[in-house]
Amino acid sequence: MAAAPHIIIGTGINSLVAAALLSRKGKPVLMLERSDRIGGCLRTDEITLPGYSHDVMAATFVLFLTSPAYAELAGDLAKHGLEFCHTDRPTAVLRPDGRATVLTMDRAANIAAFDALSPGDGAQHGRDVGGIEADADFLFALLGGPLWSAGTAKLLAKQAWKRGLNGLKSWVGAALQPARGWLESSYGSEDLQALWAPWVLHCGLTPESTYSGQMGRVIAFALEAAGAPVVKGGAGAAAEAFERLITANGGEIRTGTDVTRILTENGRATGIETADGEVIRGASVIASVTPSQLYGRLLPQETAPEAAKNYRHGRGNFQLHYALDAVPEWLSEGLEDVALVHLADGVDSVSKSANEAERGMLPETPTICVGQPHRMDPTRCPDGKAILWLQIPDAPRVIKGDAAKEIDSGPEWDEPTREAFADRIEAILSRHIKDFDKIKLARRAYSPADLQDLNMNLVGGDPYGGSCTLDQFFVWRPFPQSVNNATAVKDLHLIGAATHPGPGLGGGSGYNLAKRMGA
């Protein structure tokens, strides 16, 4: 009789990593996906015009490229078609007055450029990214490894011995610094402050959030070291490479299969039941879902921890995509080959837009991230044409009003509200690109509600699996009593953005669990 499979609910990046590692070790896996395709947020579609391929949600793979999962799977995934496209200019900020500041992948060049902005700022940048580099083994173990483990305990003990208890306390205290404190105390140039301030939003944080300063430094180091790569052919091509790898190793993947119940006996997970009434028995169940799905939909209510009732989701996400008739000509120099350009005016503007979204307001001047995937991957669109990928990481999940008092909206994200907000974003973008109206062929907007419709794990359009404030992060993610990926039910494991190490495309929770399961 064949061994019962490890049943994996969902096919996002963490599920794919876990399935790839387990199947590679000969452990049978069965992945079940309610959508018509695998990948979760790895989704590429021709959503504007034929021939224009857009990453509808996730797009940039710096966290995956620098992850232990990729280090282990890179060769196998390459054999199955995964290919990355790069630029040596990963990010920039463009301020309203047209001043642009660019980060390259050359540290010496960055130091010289930043010193030219404000004497000493380049040297400070070198210290910031150099400090992350020096602490990489310790820091990335805390950020990505299993926190409840003998290895982490030994690592902490080693650091306490190396630094002394007071030195370790000082290190932790500095790591908890908000980004506002880090940027305003470290850099004299407001342009350089503006370069880094928007990046904390991509961690589900704000400039005032505890530990956002450390995350800003980590991002600066990662972008400078690994860039902001995209997948050739789109993010969906990454999911397809994983699929080929998993099935080649004997794994099974089923789409269009909605799991509605996790079966338990005597406190142990024994399998699942689908919406069609099919019962599938498994050696274990791995659920890549939100806590609200796990305890509100898949498990009996009596198994839910008390903390599940208080689990909080963060701000929503808004996506805007363009098909262009020509490559955009930026009115500011140096942005042509930049992967991700933030339109923001500095720490205060980022803080203001995030705060407005957290209070349920449509931001008056949203922070806008503009991706130019056609620059790295020309296969995304016809020759001579272009696409733009816009992410607005500070949209309200439920609308209470408009900070600009221009959009009349109810609490829900209906089509008129979505398009009016898209008009606001487009008006900001078009000020910086020559003849934008003339080269615009089509656009497609996705509100937080639209994103949730595409992927039920994006509750209210929250792409980070829940608020990433300190009380819901690290050892407290998703709940204060959480221990790694364990649940109250034996052989039922929770992975995904709602578990440590949190959101992003690193695949960390899937990797950590697979390793504990013998992969």
Side-chain angles (χ1 to χ4, degrees), residues 23 29 80 240-253:
S23 64
V29 297
H80 289 282
E240 293 167 2
F242 267 105
E243 181 178 22
R244 289 189 287 268
L245 171 59
I246 293 163
T247 55
N249 289 328
E252 182 183 355
I253 303 175

Side-chain angles (χ1 to χ4, degrees), residues 49-401:
L49 294 172
Y52 292 79
S53 297
H54 302 266
D55 288 335
V56 180
M57 290 175 275
T60 304
F61 280 73
V62 59
L63 291 180
F64 185 63
L65 210 66
T66 56
S67 71
Y70 181 67
E72 196 158 329
L73 293 170
D76 288 340
L77 288 169
K79 290 176 185 176
H80 289 282
L82 181 62
E83 184 178 346
F84 289 103
C85 303
H86 300 266
T87 171
D88 62 1
R89 299 163 75 81
T91 193
V93 67
L94 179 57
R95 300 183 70 185
D97 62 4
R99 295 208 306 275
T101 303
V102 179
L103 178 84
T104 73
M105 295 180 66
D106 183 331
R107 184 174 300 177
N110 290 332
I111 289 173
F114 297 163
D115 267 333
L117 290 175
S118 179
D121 278 6
Q124 181 62 48
H125 171 76
R127 287 191 293 271
D128 281 340
V129 294
I132 297 298
E133 190 171 40
D135 286 336
D137 290 345
F138 176 46
L139 178 59
F140 289 106
L142 293 181
L143 289 175
L147 293 178
W148 290 100
S149 68
T152 300
K154 291 178 182 177
L155 189 66
L156 286 168
K158 182 179 179 181
Q159 288 295 316
W161 178 263
K162 174 184 175 181
R163 302 172 188 266
L165 287 177
N166 197 49
L168 182 60
K169 182 195 74 171
S170 298
W171 186 92
V172 171
L176 296 177
Q177 182 185 34
R180 179 181 288 276
W182 163 51
L183 292 171
E184 292 184 343
S185 64
S186 300
Y187 295 102
S189 167
E190 292 185 357
D191 293 334
L192 199 51
Q193 294 175 17
L195 176 67
W196 297 123
W199 274 103
V200 303
L201 302 181
H202 298 279
C203 303
L205 302 172
T206 75
E208 284 73 36
S209 297
T210 303
Y211 79 90
S212 60
Q214 185 75 325
M215 293 309 299
R217 288 185 283 265
V218 168
I219 289 168
F221 167 75
L223 289 170
E224 189 178 78
V230 299
V231 173
K232 186 174 183 179
E240 293 167 2
F242 267 105
E243 181 178 22
R244 289 189 287 268
L245 171 59
I246 293 163
T247 55
N249 289 328
E252 182 183 355
I253 303 175
R254 291 167 54 180
T255 58
T257 304
D258 185 13
V259 176
T260 54
R261 188 159 67 101
I262 295 172
L263 305 176
T264 63
E265 292 178 12
N266 301 319
R268 176 181 174 273
T270 59
I272 60 90
E273 182 177 352
T274 72
D276 295 332
E278 182 183 6
V279 171
I280 304 173
R281 299 291 177 178
S284 71
V285 177
I286 300 169
S288 183
V289 299
T290 61
S292 56
Q293 266 201 75
L294 181 64
Y295 295 109
R297 181 173 183 260
L298 299 176
L299 279 176
Q301 281 295 310
E302 56 265 25
T303 64
E306 188 66 24
K309 301 175 184 177
N310 301 317
Y311 191 73
R312 306 185 321 281
H313 283 275
R315 300 181 302 280
N317 200 266
F318 192 97
Q319 295 270 354
L320 189 56
H321 304 270
Y322 287 96
L324 303 180
D325 196 35
V327 173
E329 184 178 340
W330 293 91
L331 297 179
S332 302
E333 293 183 2
L335 300 178
E336 291 75 16
D337 295 322
V338 174
L340 296 167
V341 181
H342 282 108
L343 308 184
D345 198 27
V347 179
D348 287 345
S349 78
V350 173
S351 179
K352 179 176 180 290
S353 63
N355 179 265
E356 286 168 348
E358 289 194 343
R359 290 187 290 113
M361 308 296 286
L362 297 168
E364 179 180 17
T365 307
T367 303
I368 304 168
C369 181
V370 183
Q372 304 186 94
H374 63 280
R375 286 293 194 178
M376 294 173 280
D377 179 12
T379 69
R380 302 286 187 97
C381 56
D383 289 345
K385 312 299 182 183
I387 59 172
L388 293 180
W389 173 93
L390 273 65
Q391 182 186 50
I392 293 78
D394 46 15
R397 290 186 293 113
V398 177
I399 302 169
K400 296 179 182 178

Side-chain angles (χ1 to χ4, degrees), residues 10-21:
T11 58
I13 185 66
N14 286 286
S15 296
L16 293 169
V17 165
L21 291 169

